[in-house]
Amino acid sequence: MLQSDVRKVSAYKAEMQEIIYSKDIMEDNEMTKVDIISGFLGAGKTTLIAKLLKEAFQGEQVVLIENEFGEIGIDGGFLKESGVEIREMNSGCICCSLVGDFGTSLKEVVEKYHPDRIIIEPSGVGKLSDVIKAVKNIGDDVKINSTAAVVDASKCKMYMKNYGEFFNNQIEHAGTIILSRTQNVSEAKLKTDIELIRSLNKDAHIITTPWDDINGKQILDAMENVTNLELEMLAEAAAKAAEEHEH
């Protein structure tokens, strides 16, 4: 092959790669981002979501899907100001009866609102692995952007002991663990919390900074900087866990 032909082939390959890369970016931009923020009742999920809405999601069309067992029910006026719609769902256990309805509801939200982002706040007793599986089953209109678990630093050890699988599942399948109320615990207790979390999930980002000392954009950056490969692995593990739960 002549040198000029080699150059032409190389240029063609580069051009094709650029087209594929641009196509991937366009597809990503068209897909609705889904952020799943789990955590037991009282851990601070609603407070965190309010912080993210105010400080990180400005200018985006956001839909919040919250279970009616949410801890304080975000103020309606606040929601109107933020342009957020709420879709309440009635069910006690996400892994038993909500997964089917959840998928239908999520599809409806995407088709009706075409939002930039959907925030899902599952029930405190819902398994994060089930929520991830339900989102993945929706298809190509959405992509899991981040999975986070909010953990009360003062109750981590107690919850792990008392609630076992339900609490541990949230930690095992989260890309980011966001500790709340760290300003109220000692260094020794915080260290124990981190060791307990690491025993279940060695790869997750762990945020220990008191929320008053960090802004929502920084929290979102940490949540989103989990690599796509890590998210895929978490999603695969979640699907496997959900299948085992069904049998």
Side-chain angles (χ1 to χ4, degrees):
M1 190 181 283
L2 295 173
Q3 198 169 357
S4 59
D5 291 334
V6 171
R7 281 199 296 269
K8 282 178 186 174
V9 170
S10 297
Y12 175 73
K13 281 183 178 176
E15 188 179 340
M16 288 305 294
Q17 278 199 309
E18 184 64 33
I19 290 169
I20 292 166
Y21 177 68
S22 300
K23 185 171 177 282
D24 286 344
I25 289 174
M26 284 173 66
E27 285 176 355
D28 271 358
N29 287 340
E30 287 168 7
M31 294 168 83
T32 297
K33 294 178 180 178
V34 176
D35 297 290
I36 307 167
I37 300 175
S38 68
F40 265 38
L41 291 174
K45 285 182 298 181
T46 303
T47 303
L48 175 69
I49 290 168
K51 186 177 179 68
L52 291 171
L53 287 169
K54 186 179 178 184
E55 300 171 6
F57 298 146
Q58 288 172 333
E60 292 187 29
Q61 186 179 348
V62 179
V63 169
L64 170 66
I65 298 177
E66 70 162 5
N67 189 290
E68 70 165 5
F69 296 94
E71 48 208 67
I72 56 171
I74 297 182
D75 179 77
F78 172 79
L79 288 172
K80 284 173 189 168
E81 286 170 23
S82 303
V84 176
E85 299 282 345
I86 283 202
R87 168 93 180 187
E88 289 193 355
M89 293 169 288
N90 303 319
S91 176
C93 180
I94 198 166
C95 58
C96 295
S97 57
L98 192 55
V99 170
D101 301 332
F102 181 84
T104 305
S105 299
L106 196 56
K107 250 187 164 162
E108 280 177 17
V109 165
V110 173
E111 288 167 5
K112 185 173 181 180
Y113 297 106
H114 303 289
D116 301 312
R117 185 186 302 269
I118 292 173
I119 303 170
I120 299 173
E121 180 189 359
S123 159
V125 294
K127 284 193 171 182
L128 181 54
S129 57
D130 288 329
V131 184
I132 293 169
K133 184 186 178 188
V135 174
K136 280 185 73 69
N137 287 343
I138 295 300
D140 297 332
D141 291 332
V142 300
K143 68 166 186 172
I144 296 176
N145 183 57
S146 69
T147 57
V150 181
V151 176
D152 187 332
S154 65
K155 296 177 180 175
C156 179
K157 188 175 181 179
M158 180 182 73
Y159 278 10
M160 205 172 276
K161 182 182 176 184
N162 293 348
Y163 297 104
E165 184 187 356
F166 286 102
F167 183 72
N168 295 348
N169 184 276
Q170 295 187 9
I171 291 174
E172 288 166 355
H173 297 284
T176 306
I177 314 288
I178 304 166
L179 289 170
S180 63
R181 305 182 180 96
T182 53
Q183 71 276 15
N184 299 333
V185 301
S186 65
E187 284 285 334
K189 188 165 181 60
L190 191 57
K191 188 179 176 213
T192 300
D193 286 349
I194 293 168
E195 286 169 358
L196 289 168
I197 290 165
R198 283 283 173 243
S199 72
L200 296 173
N201 188 332
K202 61 183 176 59
D203 298 319
H205 294 170
I206 301 177
I207 297 176
T208 60
T209 309
W211 295 1
D212 287 343
D213 300 335
I214 190 171
N215 66 48
K217 187 72 175 70
Q218 289 171 304
I219 295 172
L220 180 64
D221 285 345
M223 288 166 59
E224 290 187 331
N225 280 336
V226 178
T227 66
N228 287 335
L229 178 61
E230 285 171 324
L231 276 173
E232 282 172 22
M233 288 170 70
L234 284 164
E236 281 173 20
K240 189 178 176 185
E243 281 169 21
E244 287 171 357
H245 182 61
E246 285 165 11
H247 295 310

